[in-house]
């Protein structure tokens, strides 16, 4: 699922430029989601299944590896 500026991404400050690649940032309201920043715009994505977003690696990962403390 992808939605522009919904699901907590309105709380994320994206860099104005990508530097070649989009930036993935943790969704502050949902461990199972992340915000993909593309040229200053944030887009909401959910991790598949029971995976959580791992902010250190910038990918969806097993919850025990992701380290998110929020309720999904």
């Amino acid at each position: 699922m992808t939605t522009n500026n919904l699901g907590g991404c309105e709380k994320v400050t994206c860099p104005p430029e990508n530097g070649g690649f989009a930036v993935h940032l943790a969704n502050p309201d949902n461990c199972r989601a992340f915000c993909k920043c593309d040229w200053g715009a944030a887009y909401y994505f959910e991790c598949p299944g029971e995976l959580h977003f791992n902010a250190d690696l910038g990918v969806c990962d097993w919850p025990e590896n992701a380290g998110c403390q929020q309720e999904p």
Side-chain angles (χ1 to χ4, degrees):
M1 176 182 166
T2 307
T3 309
N4 190 16
N5 293 324
L6 296 177
C9 287
E10 66 275 358
K11 297 177 184 177
V12 172
T13 302
C14 290
E17 296 181 9
N18 290 353
F21 297 98
V23 178
H24 297 142
L25 300 175
N27 183 303
D29 296 325
N30 185 346
C31 289
R32 292 191 52 243
F34 63 96
C35 304
K36 179 179 179 178
C37 295
D38 193 24
W39 294 100
Y43 298 89
Y44 176 85
F45 285 84
E46 291 181 354
C47 292
E50 298 299 316
L51 299 179
H52 287 188
F53 183 73
N54 184 325
D56 291 333
L57 300 177
V59 298
C60 294
D61 200 352
W62 297 111
E64 58 270 18
N65 297 332
C68 183
Q69 300 302 314
Q70 304 155 341
E71 285 297 316

